[in-house]
Amino acid sequence: MAARVLRKSALAQTAAPLQLPLAVVPVAPAGTLTELWLGVHLPQPQADPLLLQRLAMLAQRFTPRVSLEPPDGLVLEVKGSLALFGGVSRLYRAFRAGCQAAGASPVLTLAPTPLAALAGGRSGISFKILDQQHLVSAVSPLPLVALRWPPQVLQRLSKLGVYRVGQALRLPRAGFARRFGREPLQMLDQLVARSVDLRSPFRVPERFRAKRQFVREREDHAQILQALQPLLQQLAEFLESRQCGITRITCRLRHRNDVHTDCSVRLAQPEAAAARFQEWFAERLSKLTLPGPVRSLELRSGELMSRAPVHDSLWQPGEHGGGGEAGTLSGSLEFIERLRMRLGELAVHGLICQDSHCPEGASRPLSPQDSAFRRGAATVRAPSQDPLRPLWLLEEPQLLQEREGWPQLDGPLQLRHGPERIESQWWQAPGVARDYYHATDVHGIAVWVFRERQPPHRWFLHGLCG
């Protein structure tokens, strides 16, 4: 009987017109309001993925207590900043003006709890709740969808006729926790300030940036590298104090007439040693052709990454188990970095296998900066269908000459194995329908060729065997 009464009451409330608090509630006496949160909600998907981060940096001008709620919101606690900005209205207008200058038109809400401020913005309501005594009555009409509970919880509540926050607050707590879990119940308590809502603070991503102006212009690469050395030492100290490393660093060389040259270094693993940076920049600068004398240089780091200090083994390699896998991997990455510096970043990369019947789609290049590369997932293994497939594939299959229907490559080819029939990507136009053969040319070089199964049945060279 009680369940029926509850269901009938809930349905009656949902049928009633929604009355939302749009006006400012009178401020309570001093000391009643312990916190005041400003919620920022972006109502539509933003084209700029960094807009939310820029708004968080703007919010730090008003208070240090800023928390991100990706992908479309953030909250900031402004109770302690009201006296600095001349009250709620002036702070509210100043923050809105900053958002508009950043190219955003968010929904702004003020409430005593961060979750209430977020829920109001997600509902599209720009309200201001400045009295904690009015909090429950103000958030009761809000839809439960604004709390972003799991879909299955919202679906089960909708079967009971519960769609609004106020309806959920009136349900028995023990039964609610038993049927829907403790997390939704805890969020309701945080919404109406029955429990503390702890938020992770937003911190601006740290990056290193230093600049040096020359009294006299410099043209020699050795002089430029010598001038860069103090900045690299500052960068090393900056990283060491934070136990971090970087995989990308750029030195911008400025010339006359606002012309600049960028010299970038990308590393396979996080690094923090000034000597290593200087070594890589020496390689890069030696290959640069500068358009003119250098007036100044600026050093910029990429994103800071956590770095575990590497210690040399007590034993020499091969002695009492010295030279483990960690040292081998570190040495391999250093060797890869050196090759990329001298041959170019595109000339040295790893390979990782993919699920594809089409040979050109069975693998993809892998950069040393990729986490899968450092985990050792970039080992090259042949597809399981045929262990004799070559690893060296041409970027585009090369059309072969024919003589009496037989493929020619500096002479007639001798077919050794095949055919291996591959038909794939039939859903695309055109699909792949080929018969592959292992062959050798007149010089004894092993190649991988295929013949089209559809007219005109041409022959192509696709791979070379080692």
Side-chain angles (χ1 to χ4, degrees), residues 45 67 221 318 460:
S67 298
H221 289 76
F460 288 86

Side-chain angles (χ1 to χ4, degrees), residues 22-63:
L22 298 178
V24 178
V25 181
V27 181
T32 303
L33 190 65
T34 58
E35 290 184 343
L36 182 62
W37 292 84
L38 177 61
V40 183
H41 175 72
L42 301 174
Q44 296 179 352
Q46 302 295 320
D48 187 358
L50 298 179
L51 177 59
L52 192 63
Q53 182 175 329
R54 292 205 303 270
L55 293 181
M57 296 172 65
L58 167 67
Q60 288 190 328
R61 302 178 187 175
F62 295 84
T63 174

Side-chain angles (χ1 to χ4, degrees), residues 103-124:
S105 299
V107 180
L108 302 182
T109 54
L110 281 164
T113 63
L115 188 54
L118 286 172
R122 293 166 183 170
S123 304

Side-chain angles (χ1 to χ4, degrees), residues 202-219:
F202 167 77
R203 290 185 174 87
V204 180
E206 283 190 289
R207 299 180 190 275
F208 178 84
R209 185 172 180 177
K211 186 176 181 180
R212 184 172 183 181
Q213 192 82 23
F214 298 148
V215 178
R216 291 182 297 177
E217 297 177 340
R218 305 195 180 189
E219 300 183 29

Side-chain angles (χ1 to χ4, degrees), residues 143 222 340 370 434:
R340 286 165 62 87
D370 198 306
R434 307 167 180 169

Side-chain angles (χ1 to χ4, degrees), residues 126-375:
S126 182
F127 59 57
K128 301 176 184 178
I129 308 171
L130 306 182
D131 189 349
Q132 192 162 325
Q133 296 178 357
H134 295 80
L135 178 60
V136 176
S137 61
V139 301
S140 291
L142 298 180
L144 289 175
V145 179
L147 300 182
R148 294 185 175 174
W149 286 351
Q152 59 271 21
V153 174
L154 295 175
Q155 185 179 5
R156 292 178 62 189
L157 285 170
S158 65
K159 293 180 179 179
L160 298 175
V162 179
Y163 302 93
R164 306 289 176 188
V165 171
Q167 297 168 342
L169 288 172
R170 284 190 290 271
L171 292 178
R173 293 177 59 85
F176 186 91
R178 184 168 59 252
R179 288 176 174 83
F180 306 107
R182 298 189 60 85
E183 185 174 354
L185 183 62
Q186 183 181 5
M187 289 185 66
L188 286 176
D189 290 341
Q190 293 172 347
L191 178 70
V192 296
R194 291 176 182 167
S195 64
V196 179
D197 188 357
L198 299 178
R199 299 269 165 173
S200 299
F202 167 77
R203 290 185 174 87
V204 180
E206 283 190 289
R207 299 180 190 275
F208 178 84
R209 185 172 180 177
K211 186 176 181 180
R212 184 172 183 181
Q213 192 82 23
F214 298 148
V215 178
R216 291 182 297 177
E217 297 177 340
R218 305 195 180 189
E219 300 183 29
D220 185 62
H221 289 76
Q223 294 179 349
I224 297 174
L225 184 63
Q226 184 179 4
L228 184 61
Q229 185 176 0
L231 300 186
L232 294 176
Q233 187 62 39
Q234 294 178 24
L235 172 62
E237 295 173 358
F238 174 85
L239 296 173
E240 193 66 29
S241 63
R242 290 158 178 80
Q243 290 295 299
C244 292
I246 53 175
T247 58
R248 183 177 180 85
I249 180 173
T250 300
C251 180
R252 172 161 292 186
L253 309 173
R254 297 190 179 274
H255 314 282
R256 300 176 184 175
N257 302 323
D258 292 332
V259 179
H260 66 268
T261 303
D262 285 341
C263 179
S264 298
V265 173
R266 293 175 60 90
L267 305 174
Q269 60 181 341
E271 185 59 65
R276 296 289 304 280
F277 293 145
Q278 187 172 2
E279 180 182 358
W280 299 141
F281 272 113
E283 289 279 353
R284 286 294 190 196
L285 287 172
S286 63
K287 299 178 181 179
L288 279 182
T289 301
L290 301 178
V294 178
R295 289 187 165 187
S296 66
L297 54 85
E298 184 179 6
L299 196 64
R300 301 179 180 179
S301 75
E303 184 178 355
L304 270 62
M305 306 174 63
S306 59
R307 179 184 63 90
V310 179
H311 301 284
D312 294 334
S313 174
L314 179 64
W315 311 105
Q316 296 297 325
E319 181 183 49
H320 298 284
E325 293 183 0
T328 304
L329 177 61
S330 177
S332 301
L333 291 176
E334 291 180 10
F335 177 67
I336 292 172
E337 288 174 355
R338 194 175 299 277
L339 287 178
R340 286 165 62 87
M341 290 292 175
R342 297 187 177 182
L343 303 180
E345 294 183 359
L346 300 179
V348 182
H349 57 76
L351 287 177
I352 188 169
C353 294
Q354 298 185 136
D355 291 332
S356 175
H357 294 285
C358 190
E360 50 263 47
S363 63
R364 66 174 177 86
L366 195 66
S367 171
Q369 284 79 22
D370 198 306
S371 58
F373 192 98
R374 292 191 292 271
R375 290 196 306 267

